[in-house]
Amino acid sequence: MKNVSIAFFYGEGGPSPTVVISEDALFDNSIKLHETLHDVMDFVYKNWRALHLSCCPTKIALIRPSKHNDCDLDYLFIQVMIKKEDSIKFKFDSSGNCGHSLVAAIAKAMWQSLITPSEIQQKLTVFMVNTNIKTSFEVDTSEIKYGKINCSIEYCVSYDEKLLPTGKSTQILDVLGRSLPVSIINAGNPYVLVHASQFGIKDEESLFLNQDHLIPDLLELRREVGKKLGFPITSVFPKIALVIEKYGSEGQFEGIAARALYIDKWHPGLGITGLVCLGTAINTPNSILYHSANQPENTLKIRHSTGTVPINTRNRNNYCFVKINNKKAKMVLPLLSIEG
């Protein structure tokens, strides 16, 4: 069996470190990829405590120098679900994406010189294989020798049929025994956005209290929407996010508070792709978050359970550009070689 080199990088704000693998051949060999993922996760699950990791990683990023002329890196994201039954079983879901793992993957690619870090501030483009999307980055590489980067990310979201999987900006779902208005936005990841008031939450402080009793209903909502969108019943996609709009003293719209699920629990913060979907929904006519007073360019504050993130949005020629600054990643453990 061939040895596989893995490294652990953490996109700050994410729920776990990401296992990053640089193996070009695995992109085009699904059987070998699946076998390798099992070998990697078997090693990781058995050894994460001995490796002094904060938790067992549940994210894998596969990277290679891009095969696309206008991109620098190809990136494939795999979400790991760990099933503790009679024996430990791993399930892998590559039907969506993860922004924190993407930043972690870039840090590893530059640290290992898959992308040559030639400047302190470097622009690059990544092709996300899962979702067939290209994303632009500006990366501060001043600490790359220590496995650290700080970057800004700009997603270019097209207002096309892919953005609204159901064809509607707001969809009324007959689910959970009632009619529930939601916006299903596919920008970076498919997200189901629903007003928190639909679940009895009236203010943002309450949103971030212990709301675990809502998780079974939100998982059922994911399953119902997932079936409509063609996801397997076991998929962790689409993502689900509860939202609350925030207004100033004079009634002006100021931003959003949001809380999302990660697999089957609350995300410790908010995913980067969640920020992108929120920024896009604000600018999408007739979505549950759309405001007709929006300007061509907006700076909005998105509050989550551990802080507030400013995002910039601008509309140009049927595209919504969503920019997020100051996203960091760092090496947790350097290269390890395992038998895969």
Side-chain angles (χ1 to χ4, degrees), residues 9-78:
F9 279 73
Y10 178 59
E12 292 187 6
S16 81
T18 298
V19 183
V20 189
I21 306 172
S22 307
E23 288 284 344
D24 192 335
L26 295 179
F27 277 86
D28 304 312
N29 188 330
S30 59
I31 295 175
K32 181 58 178 174
L33 173 60
H34 198 261
E35 292 174 350
T36 300
L37 295 179
H38 271 282
D39 292 339
V40 167
M41 280 311 303
D42 184 60
F43 170 83
V44 168
Y45 185 81
K46 291 176 180 176
N47 292 283
W48 69 268
R49 290 183 179 85
L51 294 171
H52 304 292
L53 296 173
S54 58
C55 63
C56 182
T58 53
K59 297 171 179 287
I60 297 175
L62 184 64
I63 58 174
R64 69 179 177 189
S66 185
K67 303 297 185 182
H68 299 80
N69 293 332
D70 56 348
C71 295
D72 301 281
L73 188 73
D74 289 344
Y75 157 82
L76 176 66
F77 170 69
I78 300 103

Side-chain angles (χ1 to χ4, degrees), residues 255-266:
I256 294 169
R259 195 175 190 186
L261 285 186
Y262 170 68
I263 304 181
D264 58 359
K265 57 188 176 184
W266 294 112

Side-chain angles (χ1 to χ4, degrees), residues 107-174:
K108 199 265 188 181
M110 301 189 85
W111 175 76
Q112 199 181 7
S113 295
L114 263 67
I115 302 173
T116 303
S118 57
E119 304 171 6
I120 292 178
Q121 288 288 339
Q122 186 164 345
K123 294 184 178 181
L124 57 94
T125 303
V126 178
F127 180 77
M128 295 179 283
V129 177
N130 306 64
T131 51
N132 198 35
I133 292 174
K134 299 171 186 177
T135 305
S136 301
F137 292 80
E138 293 182 5
V139 185
D140 177 349
T141 61
S142 59
E143 294 188 286
I144 193 60
K145 66 180 179 180
Y146 306 112
K148 296 180 180 180
I149 61 169
N150 189 341
C151 65
S152 64
I153 312 167
E154 186 167 70
Y155 279 72
C156 175
V157 181
S158 176
Y159 290 113
D160 59 17
E161 67 278 0
K162 295 180 182 178
L163 178 64
L164 303 174
T166 65
K168 298 179 180 180
S169 299
T170 296
Q171 178 82 36
I172 306 300
L173 299 178
D174 292 323

